[in-house]
Amino acid sequence: MPSMTSPLSPTPAAEPSERFMRTPNLADPDTDRLRASIRQYFLETFDRYESLFQCLANDEAYFIKPIALRHPLIFYFGHTATFFVNKLLLTRLIDQRLDQRLESIFAVGVDEMSWDDLNDAHYEWPTVAEVRAYRNRVRQLVCELIDHAPLQSPIDWRSPWWAIIMGVEHERIHLETSSVLMRQHALKYMRAAEGWEPQADTGGTAPRNEPVRVPAGTVRVGKAFTDPQYGWDNEYGEHTATIESFQASRYLVSNQEFLAFVEAGGYRNHRDWTEEGRQWLAYSQAEHPTFWIKKTQGWSLRLMTREIPMPWSWPVEVNYLEAKAFCNWMAAETGQPVRLPTEDEWYRLYDEAGLRDPDDQPCAANLHLDHGASSCPVDRHAHGDWFDVVGNVWQWTETPTYPFNGFDVHPIYDDFTTPTFDGRHNLIKGGSWISCGNEAVRASRYAFRRHFFQHAGFRYVISHAPAEAPAAYYETDKLMSEYAEFHYGDTYFGVPNFSRALAQRAIDAMGDRPRRRALDLGCASGRASFELARAFDHVTGVDFSARFINQGVQLIQSGQLRYTLTDEGDLVSYKARTLGELGLQDTAGRVDFFQGDACNLKPQFTNYDLVLAANLIDRLYDPARFLDQIHERIVIGGLLVIASPYTWLEEHTPRQAWIGGFKKDAENYTTLDGLHEHLSAHFRLVSAPIDVPFVIRETRHKFQHTLSEMTIWERIA
């Protein structure tokens, strides 16, 4: 392991290749060849990123924010280099930092998240020369590792080398996002630079757009964790969808096609805008797309380093809110169900167009910087019956980003995607002229806030199918997450899952009794309800808390529950469970959940063969009333199963309402005594009480281990 402070030999810049290098084959069995390709891949990316900053006219341009919601460009110049250091430390390929001050400044701050500090008063930015020198040190460090660190092929996401690949792909993302910021910079801060010339073909009149039928079909996406092609965490897992036939516009929406919306008063008439869109309009005061410039002699278009007369046949570049408003306007004008495509519909279009990931040949699309540093006419690159299914500009979709089944975070970058599972970041598909590496492959899944600008436009679809968004929500409330894990999560210290153990004991106790209807009272998150449904025709779960039963409802509706778990302090891990993983997929149709008060149940909750009251009795405000009336809910010969640790607390039950756990007539009076007193008129105790253990995880290092006493009662009168 090289010391972070050891002198490293100077590393020359990469020799330019004909095309910007694609992501290498990480399964190449020849490790010498693999090292060489990763070295070239790193250096070409590092060099190309630095060359982008040659488009800044002077040092002042680094320190003026292009937009208020992002850092000045000096941050992004240093950020991608710091990213390498941070991830290499986490994989222990290195053991020391290069520059603690710079690496604290350049660590995070890219997407308006709550932890981003965009207040310039809190930063003493280094000079451009300091950052260049720092980048040179990072260049030397990474090359030293590539040349000498132990390497095994294939490289997959468990390999320490994944951090190097991750750093390169991260810099390729910022190659694109930094180019967008430069496009938003004042023109006086920009200049032409070699390798960043826009395409010369500005086209003429845009072709007339028309919808083309996409046949129905099945979409399958998701990567295995052993896949040696680099991917970000949201690409892993499995997703399958059956897509109805729909129509997709042959071309991306051009500047000329969008002009009709502008001239129809689209930005002044708020009828076609969502509420979020109206708020953005009020804030931005936009009257046309942000890169359009209205002059006395006509429209111009702002590119990265210059303005040009409007190329009407190029794709329009807008945010999601503008694209959505256009579709709503077009739907009103035509009477057709016009909208943006879903992510699944885009995949269906991709497959129908017969596309594949880029290889070493020039891209048959305006992609990967193969054709210049700008958009081009929308009718240049045909893909099957359509044009620009990939490339030219990204395409907004209706789908907020969400995790596939089997999603997991990468241990060295656990916040790449999970902060965007908030319903406010929509997926963009297909890539743009500058999208490289992972951005340019079918599996990639990038999402941005709906008011953000990228090199992004859209195509529309015509479909009566609703644009339904898969669930992306992760339960973050600590108590709710603890219960989700308690019910559906891992087992700890060899203690079996409590809900399953109780349900199985209850089922066993039924013997030859009828197994028609069961009631799970105080069902909480609902695991026991599903477990009882293995044996019963129908199970009703009832809990006082709507938040708890919502977890069970989510599982019925989607088959999956997602939640976070506290590891320590503010650090969390992300979990997901499906009914299928628990062998319960066939039970969902036999379970219903209702909010209710166990001490005051509605009349319809009756005629049950079994009532389970797990960890409930010591949480009721009037347990005696519950016990005195519960026989009314159970058929003669049916069973009542009660389990409780008898943790009587006045915050749940007034002291005078406790049914045990106190002195009575100078003698100990236990909860079991109280159960006998209240139940003996209608029930008999079937067998001796038994202790059933359970464990609740609070943090990665703190658990509750508890014994719940289980008693089984048969109704006799």
Side-chain angles (χ1 to χ4, degrees):
M1 178 183 297
S3 167
M4 294 289 293
T5 55
S6 1
L8 298 172
S9 57
T11 304
E15 289 296 322
S17 62
E18 184 178 347
R19 284 177 294 279
F20 194 25
M21 185 177 174
R22 281 46 166 161
T23 303
N25 172 19
L26 302 179
D28 190 334
D30 185 329
T31 55
D32 289 338
R33 188 168 58 211
L34 182 56
R35 280 185 199 273
S37 64
I38 292 175
R39 195 179 208 276
Q40 180 184 355
Y41 163 63
F42 163 69
L43 287 173
E44 281 196 23
T45 304
F46 214 71
D47 293 348
R48 194 63 179 257
Y49 190 67
E50 291 184 350
S51 78
L52 175 68
F53 285 79
Q54 295 301 308
C55 295
L56 296 179
N58 49 48
D59 282 6
E60 182 186 8
Y62 284 83
F63 300 96
I64 304 298
K65 286 185 178 182
I67 61 172
L69 299 178
R70 294 292 180 100
H71 281 302
L73 284 158
I74 190 68
F75 170 85
Y76 302 99
F77 193 43
H79 169 69
T80 58
T82 290
F83 185 92
F84 279 101
V85 174
N86 288 340
K87 301 313 176 188
L88 292 170
L89 282 167
L90 289 173
T91 57
R92 301 189 180 182
L93 282 173
I94 59 174
D95 57 9
Q96 297 179 51
R97 290 198 168 278
L98 282 178
D99 189 311
Q100 291 189 358
R101 180 178 71 90
L102 294 186
E103 286 155 8
S104 67
I105 291 173
F106 294 139
V108 294
V110 295
D111 189 34
E112 288 185 51
M113 292 302 183
S114 59
W115 52 82
D116 290 346
D117 183 2
L118 298 175
N119 187 341
D120 277 342
H122 298 167
Y123 294 91
E124 292 185 10
W125 296 113
T127 65
V128 176
E130 285 181 278
V131 181
R132 285 201 184 103
Y134 172 71
R135 286 185 60 87
N136 284 337
R137 294 177 67 194
V138 172
R139 176 198 296 269
Q140 294 168 12
L141 168 71
V142 175
C143 283
E144 184 80 4
L145 287 170
I146 292 171
D147 291 345
H148 301 294
L151 171 62
Q152 288 185 328
S153 178
I155 299 171
D156 62 26
W157 96 334
R158 295 182 296 256
S159 167
W161 280 68
W162 200 253
I164 297 175
I165 313 303
M166 180 183 285
V168 176
E169 291 294 339
H170 172 261
E171 190 155 57
R172 289 186 171 207
I173 292 174
H174 279 281
L175 181 72
E176 178 152 0
T177 57
S178 295
S179 75
V180 175
L181 288 175
M182 291 179 186
R183 194 174 180 186
Q184 293 173 302
H185 221 349
L187 201 55
K188 66 179 181 180
Y189 294 123
M190 302 303 299
R191 67 182 178 190
E194 183 180 358
W196 294 102
E197 298 85 3
Q199 297 196 43
D201 182 4
T202 57
T205 302
R208 180 179 178 84
N209 216 342
E210 58 184 354
V212 179
R213 178 68 59 183
V214 181
T218 300
V219 165
R220 292 180 177 86
V221 286
K223 293 165 66 76
F225 291 103
T226 54
D227 190 331
Q229 182 191 52
Y230 183 82
W232 297 103
D233 55 8
N234 60 12
E235 300 168 30
Y236 291 85
E238 298 177 348
H239 174 72
T240 302
T242 300
I243 308 302
E244 298 179 14
S245 177
F246 62 97
Q247 296 180 79
S249 61
R250 187 181 300 277
Y251 307 103
L252 298 176
V253 173
S254 65
N255 287 315
Q256 186 169 324
E257 187 173 10
F258 198 84
L259 178 64
F261 173 66
V262 175
E263 291 182 337
Y267 283 79
R268 297 189 301 274
N269 182 354
H270 295 181
R271 177 199 67 183
D272 300 314
W273 296 76
T274 62
E275 180 57 34
E276 183 181 356
R278 294 185 189 106
Q279 293 173 3
W280 175 76
L281 279 177
Y283 171 78
S284 67
Q285 298 295 302
E287 297 180 353
H288 50 73
T290 193
F291 298 120
W292 287 20
I293 303 164
K294 192 169 188 178
K295 298 184 175 181
T296 55
Q297 65 270 35
W299 292 97
S300 294
L301 183 68
R302 169 63 193 270
L303 304 183
M304 191 167 66
T305 63
R306 70 183 72 169
E307 295 175 3
I308 63 172
M310 180 63 72
W312 292 112
S313 63
W314 286 16
V316 70
E317 290 162 283
V318 292
N319 63 28
Y320 166 89
L321 303 172
E322 294 167 291
K324 178 73 170 177
F326 175 93
C327 289
N328 290 343
W329 170 78
M330 188 174 182
E333 291 291 308
T334 64
Q336 296 291 313
V338 179
R339 58 169 171 79
L340 295 172
T342 64
E343 182 188 33
D344 287 339
E345 287 169 339
W346 180 86
Y347 276 122
R348 183 73 195 95
L349 176 61
Y350 181 103
D351 293 345
E352 188 64 21
L355 295 175
R356 62 183 184 181
D357 288 345
D359 55 23
D360 290 335
Q361 300 302 309
C363 285
N366 190 13
L367 194 67
H368 225 288
L369 286 167
D370 278 6
H371 303 287
S374 73
S375 300
C376 68
V378 296
D379 57 354
R380 178 188 288 181
H381 296 287
H383 300 143
D385 291 333
W386 301 268
F387 288 74
D388 293 331
V389 174
V390 298
N392 220 355
V393 294
W394 290 94
Q395 300 168 47
W396 285 105
T397 73
E398 287 283 9
T399 309
T401 189
Y402 69 97
F404 291 153
N405 295 330
F407 165 82
D408 198 4
V409 297
H410 196 280
I412 67 169
Y413 200 177
D414 61 1
D415 59 351
F416 176 76
T417 302
T418 50
T420 67
F421 294 153
D422 57 4
R424 295 185 292 175
H425 290 72
N426 276 47
L427 287 155
I428 54 176
K429 306 300 292 184
S432 77
W433 52 268
I434 195 175
S435 299
C436 304
N438 172 264
E439 292 178 303
V441 302
R442 177 181 184 271
S444 70
R445 304 180 75 225
Y446 293 88
F448 284 88
R449 290 180 183 261
R450 290 186 278 266
H451 63 276
F452 266 31
F453 293 98
Q454 294 300 312
H455 302 298
F458 66 104
R459 69 173 359 103
Y460 52 82
V461 301
I462 299 174
S463 174
H464 289 281
E468 295 179 345
Y473 177 70
Y474 269 83
E475 178 63 73
T476 57
D477 179 276
K478 188 173 187 297
L479 176 64
M480 303 303 295
S481 295
E482 287 177 4
Y483 265 77
E485 179 71 1
F486 176 45
H487 279 238
Y488 301 103
D490 298 333
T491 58
Y492 299 96
F493 310 110
V495 176
N497 180 276
F498 178 68
S499 299
R500 181 174 186 179
L502 280 184
Q504 189 57 57
R505 289 179 183 275
I507 291 168
D508 292 343
M510 291 296 293
D512 295 330
R513 296 176 176 86
R515 300 179 181 183
R516 295 163 298 202
R517 287 162 48 82
L519 174 63
D520 183 9
L521 273 178
C523 66
S525 299
R527 172 69 181 272
S529 301
F530 291 113
E531 293 290 344
L532 290 171
R534 294 179 188 270
F536 284 81
D537 295 336
H538 191 269
V539 179
T540 304
V542 176
D543 199 275
F544 192 79
S545 168
R547 290 200 303 161
F548 278 132
I549 62 173
N550 185 56
Q551 295 184 341
V553 171
Q554 283 185 50
L555 281 163
I556 289 176
Q557 293 178 344
S558 69
Q560 186 174 59
L561 180 65
R562 301 185 180 101
Y563 53 96
T564 61
L565 288 177
T566 299
D567 287 337
E568 59 179 278
D570 292 332
L571 304 180
V572 299
S573 55
Y574 293 82
K575 298 290 289 290
R577 281 291 185 271
T578 67
L579 290 178
E581 288 173 321
L582 301 171
L584 295 168
Q585 64 272 22
D586 296 330
T587 66
R590 298 194 295 276
V591 178
D592 287 322
F593 291 102
F594 296 92
Q595 187 177 14
D597 180 355
C599 298
N600 189 30
L601 285 172
K602 293 181 179 180
Q604 68 263 33
F605 299 123
T606 190
N607 291 323
Y608 290 101
D609 301 297
L610 170 74
V611 171
L612 172 63
N615 291 357
L616 173 71
I617 193 73
D618 56 357
R619 291 296 183 268
L620 298 176
Y621 61 87
D622 193 349
R625 180 179 181 183
F626 165 75
L627 294 170
D628 293 342
Q629 296 180 351
I630 191 61
H631 67 281
E632 300 172 0
R633 312 291 173 171
I634 305 173
V635 300
I636 297 293
L639 298 184
L640 169 66
V641 178
I642 296 176
S644 173
Y646 308 145
T647 310
W648 296 102
L649 297 170
E650 289 189 85
E651 65 184 89
H652 300 298
T653 312
R655 191 175 186 86
Q656 64 271 22
W658 295 2
I659 64 165
F662 50 79
K663 292 284 187 179
K664 183 177 182 180
D665 301 327
E667 299 293 334
N668 291 344
Y669 189 81
T670 67
T671 303
L672 183 59
D673 294 329
L675 292 175
H676 276 288
E677 179 178 340
H678 287 279
L679 294 176
S680 59
H682 300 283
F683 295 87
R684 72 174 181 88
L685 186 63
V686 172
S687 58
I690 59 172
D691 287 332
V692 181
F694 65 88
V695 172
I696 294 179
R697 180 195 188 279
E698 290 188 34
T699 72
R700 189 158 58 92
H701 295 110
K702 183 182 179 184
F703 298 80
Q704 299 178 29
H705 183 273
T706 309
L707 298 177
S708 185
E709 186 173 89
M710 178 180 178
T711 55
I712 303 175
W713 308 78
E714 181 183 21
R715 183 181 174 192
I716 56 175

